[in-house]
Amino acid sequence: MILIDGKKAAAELREELKKEVIQLKEKYNRVPGLTVILIGDMAPSQIYVRNKEKSANEVGLKSEVIKYPDSVEEKTVLKKIKELNNDENVSGILVQLPLPKHIDKQKVIETIIPSKDVDGFHPMNVGNLSSGYESSVPCTPLGCYLMIKKVEPNLSGKKAVVVGRSNLNGKPMTQLLLKENCTVTVTHSRTKDLKAECLEADIIVAAVGIPELVKGDWVKKDAIVIDVGINKTEKGLVGDVAFDEVSKVAKALTPVPGGVGPMTIACLLKNTIECFKRSQI
Ligand code: NAD
């Protein structure tokens, strides 16, 4: 079984990006810039943002974190986003989710100009992705996609099952697999027989949030299985896939932790560089 090492894949991607940033600097005399807006003091968000900033610096991007307290007014955040939209030193803008209840998430997402939307959440980018046009792609599914392609470069005609239909993961993952000419089944909480669906799959991407939902006897021999889930349990962090069982049948599998997570951040850097390059045309 191939253990898909997300840390290694992310380190390789960061190395490539680092080289690209050097070339971009030579060509344009400036480097891509990522600005993250962090609202409140929720510990997980603080950690995510710190990791994003560290990784951005590592590949040579210009990075900035703008912090607001939980009580910040929505209009203050929207005004700042509009300023950043017009700042030519800012290539990508990310507002760390979740947001306090009094701030309208959709309004925030739609205020970020699509060309700087490094998360790929703006409806324009969502539409472009589903139409097969160039767009920013949400970082987690992009990371999953790159890891699948490392194991199997030609996905044409493969049967893929995506478990979960969130805007963040399941839906963009579906679009990426469709673009690669997979036959994709999207499953969710109302799916009648999830096991039967998964047993058909050459590729399974599980993005649900239920510990070890996908069992060993749900997986066809030699399937590629990508585990997006991060679940805190008594036995520590586990994914949505029963790792020990599935590793006995799958051709390739991502671990949790150390699988999809590290690639997510590396893809954010990739998206920032892509936004910069598109803005130079
Ligand atoms: P979500 O809660 O927005 O969506 C979950 C989806 O799972 C829904 O579409 C729902 O219909 C489906 N679902 C729920 N119960 C189901 C069942 N019994 N069978 C089949 N489908 C079912 O979650 P999300 O934001 O997509 O996140 C999913 C998981 O991925 C979470 O554990 C989250 O922590 C993790 N995550 C990881 C990363 C990363 O970088 N590794 C990034 C984002 C999210």
Side-chain angles (χ1 to χ4, degrees), residues 95-163:
V95 180
Q96 182 65 43
L97 302 178
L99 298 174
K101 282 201 177 68
H102 66 279
I103 298 183
D104 182 342
K105 179 176 95 176
Q106 200 55 23
K107 220 186 227 177
V108 165
I109 288 173
E110 290 182 24
T111 302
I112 299 173
I113 189 170
S115 57
K116 296 190 180 187
D117 166 34
V118 278
D119 257 337
F121 294 160
H122 191 287
M124 178 96 88
N125 282 319
V126 175
N128 279 339
L129 177 64
S130 65
S131 305
Y133 301 142
E134 195 172 59
S135 66
S136 281
V137 178
C139 305
T140 301
L142 180 58
C144 296
Y145 165 80
L146 294 175
M147 288 194 286
I148 295 169
K149 290 279 280 184
K150 263 185 190 263
V151 178
E152 180 59 71
N154 182 7
L155 302 179
S156 184
K158 301 276 181 206
K159 189 151 195 320
V161 170
V162 177
V163 190

Side-chain angles (χ1 to χ4, degrees), residues 48 139-141 144 162-171 186-191 194 206-211 213 218 227-232 238-240 256 259-265:
Y48 291 143
C139 305
T140 301
C144 296
V162 177
V163 190
R165 58 172 161 186
S166 69
N167 290 340
L168 187 70
N169 291 309
K171 285 181 191 158
V186 188
T187 62
H188 45 78
S189 55
R190 311 286 172 88
T191 296
L194 189 57
V208 186
I210 299 181
L213 174 73
W218 292 26
D227 190 352
V228 180
I230 302 175
N231 307 292
K232 272 189 192 156
V238 301
D240 292 343
V256 175
V260 174
M263 272 302 268
T264 296
I265 296 191

Side-chain angles (χ1 to χ4, degrees), residues 2-255:
I2 303 168
L3 183 69
I4 307 175
D5 185 341
K7 276 193 195 159
K8 187 163 166 261
E12 285 167 5
L13 180 55
R14 282 198 305 271
E15 260 327 292
E16 280 172 33
L17 298 174
K18 209 170 170 174
K19 288 183 192 141
E20 201 174 356
V21 171
I22 292 170
Q23 286 168 359
L24 290 170
K25 194 175 175 188
E26 277 170 11
K27 190 166 175 192
Y28 298 107
N29 202 24
R30 41 197 277 260
V31 295
L34 172 67
T35 298
V36 177
I37 297 182
L38 173 63
I39 303 172
D41 52 10
M42 270 177 58
S45 294
Q46 303 253 6
I47 295 168
Y48 291 143
V49 169
R50 213 175 303 136
N51 287 339
K52 286 170 183 173
E53 195 181 16
K54 190 171 151 252
S55 301
N57 289 333
E58 204 182 305
V59 303
L61 300 184
K62 192 170 161 292
S63 86
E64 180 191 23
V65 179
I66 298 172
K67 292 184 182 169
Y68 290 112
D70 246 323
S71 57
V72 66
E73 282 189 72
E74 182 184 274
K75 65 177 182 198
T76 307
V77 178
L78 299 182
K79 187 165 166 265
K80 176 51 80 182
I81 293 172
K82 286 177 191 159
E83 261 174 56
L84 297 170
N85 284 344
N86 292 318
D87 184 341
E88 62 166 21
N89 291 314
V90 176
S91 324
I93 305 166
L94 179 151
V95 180
Q96 182 65 43
L97 302 178
L99 298 174
K101 282 201 177 68
H102 66 279
I103 298 183
D104 182 342
K105 179 176 95 176
Q106 200 55 23
K107 220 186 227 177
V108 165
I109 288 173
E110 290 182 24
T111 302
I112 299 173
I113 189 170
S115 57
K116 296 190 180 187
D117 166 34
V118 278
D119 257 337
F121 294 160
H122 191 287
M124 178 96 88
N125 282 319
V126 175
N128 279 339
L129 177 64
S130 65
S131 305
Y133 301 142
E134 195 172 59
S135 66
S136 281
V137 178
C139 305
T140 301
L142 180 58
C144 296
Y145 165 80
L146 294 175
M147 288 194 286
I148 295 169
K149 290 279 280 184
K150 263 185 190 263
V151 178
E152 180 59 71
N154 182 7
L155 302 179
S156 184
K158 301 276 181 206
K159 189 151 195 320
V161 170
V162 177
V163 190
R165 58 172 161 186
S166 69
N167 290 340
L168 187 70
N169 291 309
K171 285 181 191 158
M173 191 69 236
T174 301
Q175 298 301 342
L176 288 169
L177 292 165
L178 271 178
K179 232 173 154 177
E180 288 291 317
N181 301 315
C182 289
T183 302
V184 190
T185 302
V186 188
T187 62
H188 45 78
S189 55
R190 311 286 172 88
T191 296
K192 287 258 157 45
D193 190 345
L194 189 57
K195 176 180 174 181
E197 300 293 346
C198 287
L199 270 170
E200 296 283 312
D202 302 309
I203 299 160
I204 298 175
V205 180
V208 186
I210 299 181
E212 302 179 323
L213 174 73
V214 177
K215 308 283 186 280
D217 62 354
W218 292 26
V219 176
K220 198 165 84 172
K221 192 173 173 313
D222 287 339
I224 299 171
V225 182
I226 305 291
D227 190 352
V228 180
I230 302 175
N231 307 292
K232 272 189 192 156
T233 68
E234 281 173 2
K235 60 176 186 180
L237 275 192
V238 301
D240 292 343
V241 175
F243 184 90
D244 291 344
E245 293 177 15
V246 172
S247 61
K248 293 193 176 88
V249 279
K251 171 178 165 184
L253 173 61
T254 56

